[in-house]
Amino acid sequence: MKNKILVPLCFLFFAACNSSKEGLQLKESTHNNGQYEIATWKGFSEAVINYTFDDGCANQFDVAIPMFDQYGFQLTIYLISNWVPEDKWEIIKQAISNGHEMGSHTVTHPSLAELSLEDQRKEFLNSRKAIEERTGIKKCHTIAYPYCIHPDLEVCSEYYIAGRDCRG
């Protein structure tokens, strides 16, 4: 039963980077005319698998987190901050202390492209702020775009270092 819940909810992302035992190595990207750099993964791993879940549904707290803890894997849950039940914030805090990431999926799950820039800012800021305050993390770094629809990326980059969609 657990695997039937897990598989449809997970998106797997693979990325390979050069590794080095000398320290954190940066390499110039072969894309985008070398205008950005990619760092190696934590622990100098050559690849990483990222399991992500959207919305912060109850089974993600009650089933997925314990299952991932049991097997020693980390996951990312993109939380809709107004949808998180009050009794789940302690579970979220414990999950963070176990190495899981909690990212933003906005406050209310709107179609961001349909919002004004000011309303997008409110969704980004208030979601990030709620997650940081409720969990004690210093910074909520990433967002998953509701409905996989990109917001204004310049505005989004004021609040997050990375955004995820589901279009590859």
Side-chain angles (χ1 to χ4, degrees):
M1 175 67 178
K2 289 181 183 178
N3 287 338
K4 288 182 181 179
I5 293 170
L6 178 65
V7 173
L9 296 175
C10 287
F11 291 97
L12 298 179
F13 294 96
F14 297 90
C17 295
N18 292 337
S19 65
S20 168
K21 302 295 183 195
E22 302 295 318
L24 184 62
Q25 300 294 311
L26 297 176
K27 66 178 185 176
E28 191 171 322
S29 169
T30 57
H31 304 290
N32 200 21
N33 297 323
Q35 294 180 3
Y36 60 89
E37 295 177 319
I38 301 172
T40 56
W41 296 105
K42 182 178 178 181
F44 305 101
S45 300
E46 292 185 19
V48 54
I49 298 172
N50 186 334
Y51 301 94
T52 68
F53 298 81
D54 288 357
D55 302 338
C57 300
N59 65 351
Q60 295 167 2
F61 305 121
D62 301 336
V63 177
I65 290 173
M67 182 171 46
F68 275 70
D69 285 343
Q70 177 183 351
Y71 292 105
F73 293 113
Q74 273 76 49
L75 55 79
T76 300
I77 296 178
Y78 289 104
L79 302 168
I80 302 168
S81 58
N82 275 4
W83 293 8
V84 177
E86 192 63 35
D87 65 330
K88 299 301 180 191
W89 286 107
E90 282 303 315
I91 294 170
I92 292 168
K93 287 166 71 170
Q94 182 60 47
I96 291 169
S97 71
N98 289 345
H100 302 291
E101 177 190 14
M102 298 297 147
S104 171
H105 201 39
T106 69
V107 176
T108 63
H109 203 275
S111 177
L112 291 165
E114 295 176 13
L115 298 181
S116 69
L117 296 181
E118 188 56 35
D119 286 341
Q120 287 184 42
R121 282 186 174 90
K122 289 177 186 175
E123 286 284 337
F124 300 145
L125 174 64
N126 293 334
S127 176
R128 189 185 80 194
K129 186 176 176 180
I131 293 167
E132 292 169 354
E133 288 177 356
R134 298 303 302 265
T135 64
I137 62 173
K138 289 184 180 181
K139 180 112 184 202
C140 176
H141 292 288
T142 63
I143 185 169
Y145 310 129
Y147 308 107
C148 303
I149 298 172
H150 287 217
D152 182 281
L153 296 178
E154 188 172 320
V155 171
C156 187
S157 69
E158 294 172 16
Y159 301 92
Y160 303 101
I161 64 169
R164 195 209 77 209
D165 69 15
C166 45
R167 296 182 187 171

